[in-house]
Amino acid sequence: MTDTQAPAQPGTGDMAGLSRRSLLRAGLLTGGAAAGAGLVSRSALAGDPLITEVQDWNRYLGDSVQAAPYGKPSEFEAHVVRRDVEWLTASPESSVNFTPLHELDGIITPNGLCFERHHGGVAQINPADHRLMIHGLVDKPLVFTMEDLKRFPRENRVYFLECAANSGMEWRGAQLNGCQYTHGMIHCVVYTGVPLKYLLNEAGVKTSGKWLLAEGADASAMTRSIPMEKALDDCLVAFKMNGEALRPEQGYPVRLVVPGWEGNMWVKWLRRLEVGDQPWEQREETSKYTDLLANGKARRFTWVMDVKSVITSPSPQAPVAHGKGPLVISGVAWSGNGTVQRVDVSIDGGRNWKTARIDGPSLSKAMHRFYLDIDWDGSPLLLQSRAMDEQGFVQPTKNELRLARGDNSIYHNNGIQTWHVKADGTVENVEVA
Amino acid sequence: MSKSPKLLALTLGITLTLPFAAVAAGSADTAKTFGLGRPAEADEIAAWDIDVRPDGTGLPEGSGTVAEGEVLFTDNCATCHGDFGEGAGRWPVLAGGQDTLKEDRPEKTIGSYWPYLSTVYDYVRRAMPYGNARSLSDDEVYALTAYLLYLNDVVTDEEFKLSKENFTGIHLPNEANFIADDRMAEAHNANKGDPCMTNCMAEPARITMHARVLDVTPGAGDDETSGGSVD
């Protein structure tokens, strides 16, 4: 196996590794029909009909500008959709689906593909009917309309939102075959919203106010306790994502943004903020989102999402179809502690590592895109990625996590993922030792 | 034109300078307020503020008995949670599982896992029954909470009456077993720094587990074998 970044030399006799363009070029250079025996059946004279014949889209008019007031992806991208795993939950209204990470690139998740996690279905709320209340240990309990919220100074920030249970089904070993399923409880968008501190300041938090309870307006009335330091630091009350209004499934008309912290705390359909002097110990911070350890104790208030990464292509849903030669290894990395400083990639199951290239913006508590361009010789690979964040935390192996926590933590699995790329280009989720 | 250029400039200066000065102060000074929103009325706060804390803060007046709770549970809850909280199908198990937390397959229920009774009252009142939330009276929630204590052997008397007055005297078995987030003390976090880059393992890596052996990915075949849960 080689992993140089030099331009590839097409392997002789390996038709699958040659692009049509390089075939044609080879044919022209060697005199067309006089090309080598391996190329006779595809002589330059038998040109590609997609080029030599006029195509419909080249002859007839396409759709008008009135055809799609709100555009959709090409019909040829119909497979790029959120998917669920039915057996995971008892009810599809308190359930989760998964972002198709294996089909995406860059760092921004399209709104229609952002994974969903609801506990009482998607609330449908007319923004004119929505109210946000602040009360408790404040000088002035207040009620805001959406119009009020949009008069505060606002900010635009890119953040990842990762479900605490992302990769949770993999604690006991390789189970789901695809990064959409093993890592797809995450999305990353640019949020537009009001710093939470402006709203709290408007009500006047008393000095005894140390905790904030955030509550949603949906049928689960989702609640979480948030320490006041975080609430006053970088939390946003957001009403837009990627430039447009929040999608209903993401909390329309308004949600809480809690950068770097587990997705459960990003309360959707946000309607109430109560200031108190102690945490409330709600269902979602006692029964759920507490992390059982092997000794029977359970961690509570495990808020931060640790440094993590995954190779999105090749992956089980994105096999290598082009044969030997140049291969783009692409993936995402993120950390609740800040920016990702570096991502290393291994093609031999973690024995040797090469530092990948982070491309695009490196923003705090946001997704980062990394690439490693290799020349694949067709040998089986054991692909891994290992992220390091700006605080120096290094993504651990799954076995290191299990050694520290056991198999029953459910949440916060940031262990290194391994993909087995086979000689035929198919890819499988495996564990290695 | 009656206004002199000087007067015009002065007028513009006043009208333009004041708003910009206010905005500048607002972005720099966190003590600045914007005068937005309106006071929340007492009945509005009471309508939405139904949360209950472990110290009993937020508990409403009222009470209910185990026997009353059993009837309510049968009518409103047993379809999903089973007659005795054992859970129907994949629906959550509410009772049992004591002393299983160190086992390979722990059963986390109110009796075996939950730290505080306040959470039971709060969650049932806020979000149950599933699909018909906020439909139970405060007394009914007391009765159902009492019945859940009975199903979990925390109380044994069917005539036991749970009320605002005796609520905080009751403790769930697993209260002491929750600890602070100490992930930073784990070896892989404590030893942060430059990781190994070459020859990090003595032997070539070998595959120890395949996802395809379980074969539970949608579209990959039989979905019957469940290895985990996210709810």
Side-chain angles (χ1 to χ4, degrees):
Chain A
M1 281 176 279
T2 59
D3 57 0
T4 67
Q5 294 187 33
Q9 295 299 314
T12 51
D14 178 42
M15 299 299 288
L18 290 172
S19 71
R20 183 149 200 108
R21 190 175 162 192
S22 60
L23 273 172
L24 289 169
R25 189 169 60 237
L28 287 169
L29 287 170
T30 52
L39 298 173
V40 168
S41 61
R42 292 201 200 175
S43 88
L45 293 177
D48 184 347
L50 287 167
I51 297 170
T52 58
E53 296 171 11
V54 176
Q55 303 297 310
D56 285 353
W57 54 86
N58 190 208
R59 185 186 305 269
Y60 306 115
L61 298 177
D63 284 341
S64 78
V65 294
Q66 296 164 317
Y70 194 110
K72 290 181 183 174
S74 161
E75 63 178 293
F76 305 107
E77 298 296 316
H79 57 290
V80 184
V81 290
R82 297 183 285 224
R83 290 186 176 86
D84 70 343
V85 178
E86 204 174 323
W87 54 257
L88 279 178
T89 54
S91 155
E93 290 82 23
S94 179
S95 193
V96 64
N97 63 18
F98 301 89
T99 303
L101 290 179
H102 60 294
E103 293 282 356
L104 303 180
D105 219 307
I107 67 167
I108 297 294
T109 314
N111 286 339
L113 296 177
C114 289
F115 87 97
E116 303 168 65
R117 174 60 167 127
H118 320 303
H119 294 75
V122 180
Q124 301 289 346
I125 303 174
N126 181 338
D129 296 338
H130 191 71
R131 302 288 184 270
L132 174 59
M133 180 187 292
I134 299 183
H135 70 102
L137 298 176
V138 295
D139 298 329
K140 289 183 298 181
L142 291 172
V143 172
F144 299 105
T145 63
M146 288 305 299
E147 290 306 308
D148 294 331
L149 295 180
K150 290 177 178 178
R151 293 174 68 188
F152 283 94
R154 63 187 77 154
E155 293 181 356
N156 292 281
R157 297 285 183 271
V158 178
Y159 294 121
F160 76 81
L161 186 172
E162 184 184 16
C163 179
N166 199 21
S167 313
M169 296 82 76
E170 304 290 308
W171 269 108
R172 289 172 173 274
Q175 178 168 245
L176 289 165
N177 217 21
C179 71
Q180 177 167 21
Y181 303 109
T182 58
H183 291 75
M185 289 190 226
I186 188 168
H187 49 72
C188 183
V189 304
V190 53
Y191 293 97
T192 305
V194 176
L196 177 56
K197 65 187 174 192
Y198 291 171
L199 304 185
L200 292 171
N201 189 46
E202 200 73 10
V205 175
K206 294 181 185 297
T207 52
S208 55
K210 302 296 183 196
W211 289 82
L212 185 69
L213 186 75
E215 181 181 86
D218 63 313
S220 75
M222 171 66 63
T223 34
R224 282 298 298 260
S225 302
I226 300 167
M228 191 57 72
E229 303 83 60
K230 181 67 173 177
L232 295 175
D233 179 16
D234 56 0
C235 292
L236 294 177
V237 173
F239 38 81
K240 301 217 164 169
M241 58 193 292
N242 290 336
E244 64 178 357
L246 298 177
R247 293 292 170 92
E249 65 269 28
Q250 303 298 341
Y252 180 80
V254 65
R255 83 172 311 163
L256 198 59
V257 170
V258 190
W261 288 22
E262 61 188 16
N264 182 259
M265 306 178 80
W266 299 47
V267 174
K268 298 187 285 191
W269 312 289
L270 181 70
R271 75 166 183 188
R272 190 167 72 93
L273 296 165
E274 179 176 0
V275 178
D277 59 356
Q278 291 172 40
W280 280 261
E281 306 286 0
Q282 293 282 290
R283 187 252 197 182
E284 304 292 322
E285 53 206 17
T286 55
S287 170
K288 307 300 176 186
Y289 306 98
T290 50
D291 312 351
L292 183 60
L293 303 173
N295 64 5
K297 302 271 184 186
R299 288 179 178 142
R300 62 173 193 169
F301 300 147
T302 47
W303 297 311
V304 174
M305 299 308 292
D306 287 318
V307 63
K308 188 169 175 179
S309 68
V310 67
I311 291 170
T312 54
S313 179
S315 65
Q317 297 158 288
V320 183
H322 55 56
K324 300 174 186 177
L327 171 64
V328 175
I329 296 171
S330 175
V332 282
W334 60 93
S335 172
N337 296 313
T339 58
V340 172
Q341 184 182 78
R342 184 176 120 193
V343 182
D344 300 326
V345 169
S346 172
I347 60 173
D348 60 5
R351 204 176 187 198
N352 295 284
W353 298 86
K354 198 173 189 69
T355 298
R357 168 171 63 88
I358 291 176
D359 187 79
S362 171
L363 300 169
S364 184
K365 302 169 189 175
M367 264 194 194
H368 293 57
R369 174 63 55 176
F370 67 86
Y371 299 104
L372 185 70
D373 304 293
I374 71 165
D375 182 5
W376 185 41
D377 66 1
S379 309
L381 310 175
L382 290 169
L383 285 182
Q384 296 184 338
S385 63
R386 178 182 68 189
M388 186 194 298
D389 68 27
E390 67 174 288
Q391 292 189 26
F393 291 108
V394 180
Q395 185 181 359
T397 65
K398 290 179 182 175
N399 286 332
E400 284 174 320
L401 286 176
R402 291 182 187 120
L403 194 64
R405 304 177 193 176
D407 291 342
N408 289 314
S409 277
I410 298 178
Y411 308 105
H412 294 286
N413 183 352
N414 66 322
I416 290 171
Q417 175 67 47
T418 308
W419 303 130
H420 180 206
V421 181
K422 299 167 194 179
D424 65 0
T426 60
V427 183
E428 190 188 6
N429 173 12
V430 298
E431 299 236 355
V432 294
Chain B
M1 302 295 283
S2 62
K3 284 181 180 171
S4 72
K6 192 175 175 183
L7 185 60
L8 187 64
L10 191 62
T11 310
L12 282 173
I14 289 164
T15 54
L16 290 178
T17 305
L18 279 180
F20 278 112
V23 169
S27 57
D29 177 9
T30 54
K32 171 82 176 97
T33 56
F34 299 88
L36 293 167
R38 62 155 174 89
E41 303 298 336
D43 63 335
E44 293 173 331
I45 296 173
W48 278 4
D49 178 13
I50 61 165
D51 47 74
V52 180
R53 289 196 324 204
D55 64 3
T57 304
L59 278 173
E61 299 297 331
S63 65
T65 67
V66 170
E68 290 163 354
E70 181 174 11
V71 176
L72 287 163
F73 194 88
T74 303
D75 291 348
N76 296 284
C77 318
T79 307
C80 296
H81 295 295
D83 287 337
F84 304 102
E86 74 278 17
R90 295 180 186 278
W91 295 101
V93 179
L94 304 181
Q98 276 83 349
D99 300 319
T100 65
L101 297 183
K102 296 179 195 172
E103 292 180 3
D104 185 43
R105 298 282 182 175
E107 188 162 73
K108 292 152 68 181
T109 72
I110 292 167
S112 70
Y113 190 66
W114 291 35
Y116 303 111
L117 188 62
S118 58
T119 315
V120 179
Y121 190 96
D122 176 284
Y123 183 68
V124 171
R125 185 162 64 151
R126 114 180 9 260
M128 289 291 130
Y130 189 64
N132 191 24
R134 301 297 301 272
S135 61
L136 298 163
S137 72
D138 292 344
D139 282 344
E140 288 173 328
V141 178
Y142 275 112
L144 283 168
T145 305
Y147 184 59
L148 288 166
L149 287 172
Y150 181 80
L151 289 179
N152 278 290
D153 302 322
V154 178
V155 300
T156 52
D157 178 4
E158 282 193 42
E159 298 309 310
F160 172 77
K161 179 189 279 192
L162 183 67
S163 68
K164 180 182 180 183
E165 286 68 36
N166 67 5
F167 194 97
T168 55
I170 295 171
H171 291 268
L172 297 182
N174 200 44
E175 178 176 343
N177 285 322
F178 287 81
I179 62 172
D181 181 359
D182 58 353
R183 279 178 290 171
M184 289 305 102
E186 292 175 345
H188 57 269
N189 284 325
N191 302 326
K192 66 182 184 183
D194 280 343
C196 174
M197 293 298 285
T198 52
N199 293 317
C200 303
M201 304 156 72
E203 301 288 325
R206 58 188 171 78
I207 294 172
T208 58
M209 198 176 292
H210 294 263
R212 287 198 178 149
V213 172
L214 270 168
D215 209 13
V216 291
T217 309
D222 187 2
D223 282 0
E224 289 304 304
T225 316
S226 171
S229 172
V230 295
D231 63 346

